[in-house]
Amino acid sequence: MRLDDPMDRIEAELFTDRGNDAVIRLPPRNFPGVLIQGDSLAIIRTDVAEILEACDHGDLGAARETAAILLSDLDDLLARYATALEAHGIPLPY
């Protein structure tokens, strides 16, 4: 499917609530994924850019602080994913 193709409508399996980081499975995938809303994706990108900028300026303290926050957020997201899969009897793909 190309970006200029008409939008397809499909059914997906929802394993969590419909929040900003819903765990869903699209056909024909074996394992669910995490739907990250565009604004949340932009925030993650901004955090990574801040880490790189701090490193470029030699401010390792600021880089470490931002990286720690980003890692914590990703750990929370991964835990939500693992909990959703466990609740539905699906083994982790990693």
Side-chain angles (χ1 to χ4, degrees):
M1 177 181 205
R2 296 185 345 236
L3 290 178
D4 59 349
D5 285 343
M7 180 174 47
D8 283 345
R9 295 205 180 267
I10 60 170
E11 288 191 28
E13 295 174 274
L14 181 63
F15 293 88
T16 59
D17 61 28
R18 298 175 186 201
N20 284 339
D21 50 8
V23 177
I24 63 170
R25 180 166 45 195
L26 298 174
R29 303 298 301 196
N30 290 325
F31 291 97
V34 177
L35 174 65
I36 299 175
Q37 296 295 318
D39 58 336
S40 298
L41 182 59
I43 290 168
I44 293 169
R45 190 255 176 237
T46 297
D47 289 346
V48 172
E50 285 179 16
I51 293 167
L52 288 174
E53 184 176 339
C55 287
D56 287 345
H57 290 89
D59 191 351
L60 297 183
R64 184 166 184 55
E65 183 177 328
T66 303
I69 292 168
L70 179 58
L71 179 60
S72 177
D73 290 346
L74 290 173
D75 283 343
D76 290 346
L77 183 59
L78 195 56
R80 177 173 162 84
Y81 178 79
T83 298
L85 268 62
E86 181 181 341
H88 291 89
I90 300 171
L92 294 174
Y94 49 88

